[in-house]
Amino acid sequence: MKTDYDYIIVGAGSSGCVLANRLSADPAVSVCLIEAGSHDNSLRIQTPAGTITLYKSRKYSWNFFSAPQKNLNGRSLHTPRGKALGGSSSMNSMIYIRGHASDYDRWAQAGCAGWDWNSVLPYFKKSENNRLGQDPRLHGTTGELNVEAARDPNPVSKLFVKAAQRIGIRTNDDFNGEQLEGCGIYNLTQKDAKRLSSYRAFVAPVLDRPNLTVITDCSVQSLILEERVAKGVRVVSDGQAMALSARHEVILSAGSLGSPSLLLASGIGPEQELKNAGIKVEHDLPGVGKNLQDHLDGLITIRSKSPLTLGFSLGSLPSIVLSPLRYLFGKKGWLTTNYVEAGGFARTPLADALPDVQFHFVPGYRSHRGRLFEWGHGYAVHTCVLRPKSIGELRLDRDGKPVIDFNFLSDPQDAKVLVEGLKLARRILADQQFDGIRGKEMLPGAEVQTDEQLMAYVREYAATVFHPVGTCKMGVDAMSVVGADLTVHGIQGLRVVDASIMPTLISGNTNAPCIMIGEKAADMILRAHAFTPGSERAREQAGQLAAPSAPESQLS
């Protein structure tokens, strides 16, 4: 195996795959992309409906569990992350959401120059291949990432959108257009009725590049540091320990749990915590692992006898039996579903001018017992706190394993917003649109009505939506880990490029923003090394995304 490269990228997830594509576009530059998981050549990954089988998979998921959450009755929350080429983009629900323009303006206002909405929009557009004819001021059509409409949404998902409209929540056909607020059917990252992960979009088409090496089933143990300069990584591959060296940079794209864990394992982090974990301190950087944020979610699930909904029953047996044929020959039917087909963004009475909750509607029964499958039919809506104030952390124990403490509901305002969001979701489900398929509310249950009862329900059942960010925060304050160029403070030749650099959580699903982060980081890296001998292609690419001369339209 070749052991020396110009760039080593740790993590083949949403950001890392974009980096691998853009950096290896220069044939004079050698790039190594390392993934701890295996290949993605499984029908469970490629078929959209297979996503439901991945979250607890031993092969394709890092089945982390959080530390006991003191404000959630001491429960440890299941925290899956993708463990395959594509990372979590190979197991997510394929929803394409960028967030609100103000999310990025807030980053810039906190000292992250160049990360305001007008500056990041060109990078969103660069990756996108919008197949919906949406506003060209805000969407791209020449990128690798297909954005398509759901191929065959369940009719019950459409009922949810109509019911939301009837209670005053506008219908929104483009959550990445002029307005985020509203409900609609989500647009998806799919191609030919298959999942389009970051790996499939950005790396699989360029695997024939001789200067791009992709290594799977390879565990990175630590960084190689010499006088606070990153020189490479120590890995275990095929049972053998070895060192890989990087002439230019090591780039961590292992996600909000993986990247800080690797920094800490390498002796970069809060000095006292490293000593407590028995790790030699290489560089005291207090913010590593801090600032953990995620969307907290509450579920309303309804039992229904209607076979219109997704589910297992004698009545649905014909559609289940025919679903493989419908998928193979018409690219329709159950196997095309991403389950959370509809949803949107709304304001509770506690909101200001911006939405403060997001809905994910499932046209099938979500088990009230936490099972993967339940016999019968129903529908459900997840409601999450869009801009949480609660902040947690990640640290390593004495065995080097991550301790993930979301610290959910440490700010009581989050609990109040979630309770109001659940009440709003109930209003939607109570609309007459659902009269024909109405059933029994299993969770929270008809007996749970007061704010106090709903608060107790949240503490007993709320969970994460799987959007962890922030543990290698970008910024200029004492707790920031990287600067606006994503280089690690105090260490040369090392960057972090993934969701962990987000100073604050964006308003929505995180896959599209992570791809944008990869695009912008690649441009910065190409500019930084534009005058390295042999990198004419890099100089060429570095000039392709100049900032727009006039402000683009913003999401309002």
Side-chain angles (χ1 to χ4, degrees), residues 441-480:
E441 182 182 285
M442 304 299 291
L443 289 176
E447 70 282 2
V448 177
Q449 292 295 330
T450 67
D451 285 3
E452 291 74 16
Q453 290 170 330
L454 285 168
M455 190 77 73
Y457 168 70
V458 164
R459 296 188 188 282
E460 185 60 29
Y461 285 95
T464 162
V465 173
F466 316 138
H467 297 157
V469 309
T471 48
C472 297
K473 183 178 79 167
M474 172 174 56
V476 295
D477 64 15
M479 294 304 289
S480 64

Side-chain angles (χ1 to χ4, degrees), residues 106 123 170 191 280 291 380 445 455 494 524:
R106 184 164 48 154
Y123 295 101
R170 67 185 291 270
K191 185 176 182 180
K280 179 185 175 183
N291 194 48
M455 190 77 73
L494 181 62
M524 290 189 290

Side-chain angles (χ1 to χ4, degrees), residues 68-339:
Q69 297 296 285
K70 62 183 178 182
N71 297 306
L72 297 179
N73 295 346
R75 291 182 295 123
S76 293
L77 305 183
H78 184 222
T79 308
R81 307 307 299 151
K83 187 182 180 183
L85 290 171
S88 293
S89 72
S90 285
M91 69 182 296
N92 67 2
S93 296
M94 297 156 278
I95 297 171
Y96 185 77
I97 294 287
R98 299 171 176 175
H100 195 274
S102 64
D103 296 333
Y104 303 97
D105 290 340
R106 184 164 48 154
W107 294 2
Q109 290 160 8
C112 304
W115 289 89
D116 58 281
W117 173 247
N118 283 333
S119 295
V120 302
L121 177 58
Y123 295 101
F124 278 116
K125 292 172 67 176
K126 179 180 180 181
S127 346
E128 186 183 8
N129 182 15
N130 188 282
R131 312 299 296 167
L132 300 164
Q134 292 172 330
D135 190 343
R137 296 174 302 161
L138 298 168
H139 292 281
T141 56
T142 59
E144 294 87 346
L145 188 69
N146 273 35
V147 176
E148 301 183 346
R151 298 194 66 87
D152 193 16
N154 188 280
V156 177
S157 296
K158 298 175 183 178
L159 292 183
F160 176 82
V161 179
K162 292 178 182 177
Q165 184 181 43
R166 284 176 52 84
I167 71 159
I169 302 173
R170 67 185 291 270
T171 297
N172 193 342
D173 296 323
D174 182 7
F175 295 114
N176 304 295
E178 289 288 352
Q179 291 193 47
L180 180 69
E181 189 169 355
C183 284
I185 305 296
Y186 284 124
N187 294 332
L188 308 173
T189 52
Q190 295 183 357
K191 185 176 182 180
D192 299 325
K194 295 179 181 178
R195 172 191 296 277
L196 190 63
S197 69
S198 187
Y199 171 75
R200 289 285 167 162
F202 295 97
V203 175
V206 299
L207 282 174
D208 59 347
R209 291 177 180 171
N211 60 324
L212 174 61
T213 300
V214 179
I215 307 174
T216 59
D217 303 289
C218 181
S219 175
V220 178
Q221 303 297 298
S222 65
L223 299 166
I224 298 172
L225 300 171
E226 296 179 7
E227 297 181 352
R228 297 189 180 180
V229 179
K231 294 293 187 178
V233 293
R234 297 180 184 88
V235 305
V236 175
S237 181
D238 291 329
Q240 293 186 332
M242 65 180 68
L244 304 179
S245 61
R247 283 181 287 271
H248 291 337
E249 294 190 18
V250 175
I251 305 164
L252 303 186
S253 296
S256 289
L257 307 184
S259 289
S261 294
L262 187 52
L263 288 174
L264 293 169
S266 303
I268 302 171
E271 182 175 8
Q272 192 56 52
E273 286 186 18
L274 292 173
K275 290 179 178 178
N276 293 343
I279 299 170
K280 179 185 175 183
V281 179
E282 297 288 349
H283 178 48
D284 180 17
L285 195 56
V288 175
K290 308 305 180 185
N291 194 48
L292 175 61
Q293 300 163 53
D294 202 344
H295 290 129
L296 184 65
D297 174 80
L299 173 69
I300 296 174
T301 186
I302 310 290
R303 278 278 198 191
S304 170
K305 295 180 179 179
S306 172
L308 275 179
T309 66
L310 302 175
F312 296 92
S313 69
L314 293 177
S316 66
L317 191 59
S319 64
I320 294 172
V321 171
L322 291 174
S323 61
L325 294 176
R326 291 196 68 201
Y327 182 72
L328 286 172
F329 296 107
K331 297 179 180 177
K332 298 283 187 179
W334 190 348
L335 293 180
T336 67
T337 187
N338 69 320
Y339 296 100

Side-chain angles (χ1 to χ4, degrees), residues 517-537:
I517 289 168
E519 290 280 22
K520 184 169 173 60
D523 192 39
M524 290 189 290
I525 293 167
L526 289 170
R527 289 177 185 275
H529 296 282
F531 299 102
T532 301
S535 59
E536 290 82 3
R537 181 70 171 273

